[in-house]
Amino acid sequence: MGGVNQILGLAYLNPIWWMSVAILGFKLFALIDGASRREDAYRAADKKTKGFWLAILGIAFGWDLLFGVNFFTGIGTLAGLVASIVYMVDVRPAIRELTNRGGRGGGRSNMGPYGPW
């Protein structure tokens, strides 16, 4: 119950606590984003499967929630953070490109009003 005690223990005055909350939030965002994407988009982007990424991201989030975010001795925290970063910088952009779920009316394109730029 380390993680729950860490959150409920009123340790909010400690900067490490803020980093822990930010890491938990980042991992939760990656997990929710991964769950909201279509299964076929993962295969089309050649980025493993949706089940694989949900398992990895779920374990990463659950580990920190149960055992607490530990920067110095927690190999699980660091491994989960690396997995979440890989999802956010590699898998997510590839899937967004395929499904056109970007901002302003669709996916990103390098098209200006007069052609590509």
Side-chain angles (χ1 to χ4, degrees), residues 10-85:
L10 298 177
Y12 57 86
L13 297 175
N14 187 350
I16 299 293
W17 184 84
W18 286 103
M19 283 185 19
S20 301
V21 170
I23 288 173
L24 274 173
F26 180 72
K27 289 180 179 183
L28 180 62
F29 177 78
L31 178 63
I32 291 172
D33 185 76
S36 69
R37 305 294 174 176
R38 296 186 344 221
E39 168 66 34
D40 60 339
Y42 285 87
R43 290 189 308 260
D46 197 26
K47 301 293 181 185
K48 299 284 185 190
T49 64
K50 183 176 183 176
F52 172 82
W53 281 107
L54 289 182
I56 295 294
L57 297 172
I59 290 169
F61 177 72
W63 179 273
D64 286 346
L65 196 61
L66 291 176
F67 300 115
V69 177
N70 188 347
F71 300 107
F72 305 110
T73 59
I75 191 73
T77 296
L78 295 176
L81 184 60
V82 168
S84 297
I85 291 170

Side-chain angles (χ1 to χ4, degrees), residues 100-108:
N100 290 330
R101 285 183 64 181
R104 293 193 311 201
R108 275 190 202 162

